[in-house]
Amino acid sequence: MSESYKEEIRDLTLFANMDEANYRALMRGAYVQNFPPRIDLIHENEPPDFLHVVLSGSVDLFSAWNGRETSMATVRPVSTFILAASVRNLPYLMSARTLEKSRIALIPSQDVRAVFSEDSAFAQAIVAELAQCYRAVVKNTKDLKLRTSLERLANYLLRQQDRTGSLEFDLTMEKRRLASFLGMTPENLSRAFKGLEPYGVKVAQNHIVITDLEDLTRYAKPNPLIDDYSA
Amino acid sequence: MSESYKEEIRDLTLFANMDEANYRALMRGAYVQNFPPRIDLIHENEPPDFLHVVLSGSVDLFSAWNGRETSMATVRPVSTFILAASVRNLPYLMSARTLEKSRIALIPSQDVRAVFSEDSAFAQAIVAELAQCYRAVVKNTKDLKLRTSLERLANYLLRQQDRTGSLEFDLTMEKRRLASFLGMTPENLSRAFKGLEPYGVKVAQNHIVITDLEDLTRYAKPNPLIDDYSA
DNA sequence: AGACCCACTTGATAAATGTCAAGTGATCGA
DNA sequence: TCGATCACTTGACATTTATCAAGTGGGTCT
């Protein structure tokens, strides 16, 4: 791996405070790779050979059962995926594919496990990352079980509004994938967008305009314990 | 806290390998308490004052939004809950109440954070526990998104069958709570039990008899990446 | 420009799930 | 033993969501 990559990765929260020698050891077997869009990176049930770190682009985590498939999460820079599988050395629970052109660092899981048992700062960072991931999935479960699909879409749009800081934004993924992520069919997502029109949501292709933020918020009833992905 | 409790807790995976002095420090502010059934232990959105360890009995984790409530998980001995909130010092995402008479150890979160940054063995144990919790929630999400309610019930029964090692067993919680956990209404749970009769499931009160394990398994299509809560 | 492709949309219909109200049956205390 | 309570069940119905089939409309390639 090139030195410039090594420095870029070094700055990630996960590695920032760890011992230099341990970091070097971790990077020895690691490499960075560029992937085109829609490339399968890993498949569920495989052994966790590498910890993946998304440096740029975005990655879709999804899962299948009995001929059905669902999108579980989108991983954006800069964060890891399949950390839990890596540290426990257990098979992946989800598959991953790039959504767009993406740069991804691959670090041998074996090295992650070896170093994390030696390096206290690294172990702490892993704990923080895992706890964060855990809380994100719990929030997602609450979203799924406590809300209707229309409410889920409304709150999703509010989160995007908050993330971009603008009342106008483009959807960051295909609608079909968004539908799957929100736990509904593409057909119903179309209807759901229509259903939010009365609350001040305008949709044209991938472009969303929120014309009445207050009204939408009143309908969506966002809650930090479900929608605040930073805590 | 009494010495006998301290030894009991010492043997938990989470604490087994940590340094004795650190363990003593952790136990200094800790205590064990007995709770009757149906007692609220914590409420979502509160600051994480204590890490809880279920020593006996069982605890229901649940959450509410906009007047609706859902059961998220059942914690059984010997494991912790709200570990993620404790280590990140962020508000609880879920509430907790005892299902039955339960003995629970409470360890000040502040001490957990202090000790885990000092004690590498403890940090490692926390990582293992968090990773386990994360994977459990991911499995639960897959269950919810990829299966119908009838399939969820069928697989739930198979997991109970596996857990007890017997084709006959009693449900470990009220049906209304089971319904909530499986993401359906009590009324639909009743109908779902009827719907599984053709696949060899007999229900009388809380007692379940599986008369045709093969048939039920063929219908439920259990999958270790969803149903195996030990990995 | 024209033809095609592909995602998305729309409408009709079916299936799954939730709601409401009434009923059943087990349990427990007087 | 009687009655009351409470969880659960049942039936009728409403709502939500999924499915299937037929459009629509960008975008792209030639």
Side-chain angles (χ1 to χ4, degrees):
Chain A
M1 186 191 295
S2 80
E3 283 301 316
S4 69
Y5 278 152
K6 282 193 189 172
E7 282 173 25
E8 180 182 1
I9 297 174
R10 184 64 156 134
D11 290 336
L12 309 185
T13 320
L14 194 60
F15 307 106
N17 295 315
M18 71 189 294
D19 180 80
E20 180 62 25
N22 289 333
Y23 180 69
R24 292 274 145 189
L26 206 54
M27 288 303 111
R28 204 161 295 138
Y31 57 100
V32 171
Q33 207 168 334
N34 283 293
F35 295 95
R38 292 150 201 265
I39 290 289
D40 280 6
L41 299 172
I42 60 173
H43 193 271
E44 56 184 278
N45 210 19
E46 286 171 356
D49 294 328
F50 294 96
L51 172 65
H52 294 236
V53 184
V54 182
L55 300 173
S56 73
S58 56
V59 170
D60 182 46
L61 301 182
F62 63 100
S63 192
W65 177 81
N66 195 26
R68 301 164 209 167
E69 181 180 310
T70 189
S71 175
M72 300 281 291
T74 302
V75 187
R76 302 184 179 289
V78 178
S79 36
T80 62
F81 56 94
I82 52 156
L83 178 57
S86 285
V87 299
R88 295 218 62 160
N89 197 21
L90 289 169
Y92 300 142
L93 295 179
M94 299 181 275
S95 304
R97 73 166 73 93
T98 54
L99 286 171
E100 50 192 314
K101 189 166 171 299
S102 304
R103 206 161 78 256
I104 293 171
L106 299 111
I107 306 170
S109 295
Q110 206 175 325
D111 299 344
V112 172
R113 287 192 298 275
V115 171
F116 116 87
S117 64
E118 297 295 323
D119 192 301
S120 154
F122 187 45
Q124 277 182 63
I126 287 183
V127 166
E129 173 96 4
L130 274 177
Q132 156 84 18
C133 292
Y134 172 75
R135 288 172 65 90
V137 190
V138 167
K139 285 169 187 167
N140 190 245
T141 304
K142 290 169 66 172
D143 193 42
L144 281 170
K145 291 183 79 176
L146 291 169
R147 289 172 171 164
T148 65
S149 60
L150 199 58
E151 290 167 340
R152 288 199 295 278
L153 176 60
N155 280 289
Y156 176 84
L157 294 177
L158 287 178
R159 292 198 297 270
Q160 292 299 110
Q161 188 276 318
D162 189 66
R163 210 166 66 85
T164 60
S166 164
L167 290 170
E168 290 194 33
F169 52 87
D170 287 332
L171 295 175
T172 57
M173 56 179 127
E174 291 173 287
K175 285 183 182 170
R176 55 162 54 188
R177 195 177 313 281
L178 176 58
S180 177
F181 173 71
L182 294 175
M184 50 176 151
T185 57
E187 292 95 328
N188 272 321
L189 179 62
S190 269
R191 293 173 188 123
F193 273 122
K194 287 228 161 139
L196 289 181
E197 259 176 34
Y199 300 101
V201 175
K202 283 198 160 52
V203 184
Q205 246 84 276
N206 275 350
H207 192 70
I208 309 289
V209 183
I210 296 178
T211 58
D212 191 339
L213 183 59
E214 278 194 27
D215 207 13
L216 183 60
T217 303
R218 198 161 33 242
Y219 174 74
K221 296 184 173 59
N223 182 313
L225 298 182
I226 302 180
D227 300 293
D228 184 355
Y229 274 67
S230 65
Chain B
M1 185 192 295
S2 79
E3 281 302 317
S4 70
Y5 277 152
K6 283 193 188 174
E7 282 174 24
E8 181 181 1
I9 297 174
R10 185 65 159 132
D11 290 336
L12 309 185
T13 321
L14 193 59
F15 307 106
N17 296 316
M18 70 190 295
D19 178 79
E20 179 63 23
N22 289 334
Y23 180 68
R24 291 275 145 187
L26 206 53
M27 287 303 111
R28 205 161 294 137
Y31 57 99
V32 170
Q33 207 168 331
N34 284 292
F35 295 94
R38 292 153 202 262
I39 290 291
D40 280 6
L41 299 171
I42 62 172
H43 193 270
E44 56 185 279
N45 210 20
E46 286 170 357
D49 296 327
F50 294 95
L51 172 65
H52 294 236
V53 184
V54 182
L55 301 173
S56 72
S58 57
V59 170
D60 182 46
L61 300 183
F62 64 100
S63 193
W65 177 82
N66 196 26
R68 301 165 209 164
E69 182 181 308
T70 189
S71 176
M72 300 281 292
T74 302
V75 187
R76 304 185 176 288
V78 179
S79 36
T80 64
F81 57 93
I82 53 156
L83 179 57
S86 286
V87 300
R88 294 219 63 159
N89 197 21
L90 289 170
Y92 300 143
L93 295 179
M94 299 181 274
S95 305
R97 72 165 74 96
T98 53
L99 286 170
E100 52 191 311
K101 192 168 169 295
S102 302
R103 207 161 78 257
I104 293 171
L106 298 112
I107 305 170
S109 293
Q110 206 176 325
D111 299 345
V112 171
R113 287 192 298 275
V115 170
F116 116 86
S117 64
E118 296 297 320
D119 192 302
S120 152
F122 187 45
Q124 276 183 65
I126 287 183
V127 166
E129 174 96 3
L130 274 177
Q132 155 85 19
C133 290
Y134 173 76
R135 288 171 66 89
V137 189
V138 168
K139 286 170 186 168
N140 190 245
T141 303
K142 291 169 67 171
D143 193 41
L144 280 170
K145 290 184 79 175
L146 292 168
R147 289 171 172 164
T148 66
S149 59
L150 200 58
E151 290 166 341
R152 289 199 295 277
L153 177 60
N155 280 290
Y156 175 84
L157 293 177
L158 286 178
R159 292 199 297 269
Q160 292 300 110
Q161 189 277 318
D162 189 65
R163 209 166 67 85
T164 60
S166 164
L167 290 170
E168 290 194 30
F169 52 85
D170 287 333
L171 295 175
T172 57
M173 55 179 128
E174 292 172 286
K175 285 183 182 170
R176 55 162 54 188
R177 194 177 314 283
L178 176 59
S180 177
F181 174 70
L182 294 175
M184 51 176 147
T185 56
E187 291 94 329
N188 272 322
L189 179 61
S190 270
R191 294 174 187 121
F193 273 122
K194 286 228 162 140
L196 289 181
E197 259 176 34
Y199 301 101
V201 175
K202 281 197 163 52
V203 184
Q205 248 84 274
N206 275 350
H207 193 70
I208 309 289
V209 183
I210 295 177
T211 59
D212 191 338
L213 184 59
E214 278 194 30
D215 206 12
L216 182 61
T217 303
R218 194 160 37 240
Y219 174 74
K221 298 187 172 57
N223 182 313
L225 297 183
I226 302 180
D227 300 292
D228 184 354
Y229 274 67
S230 66

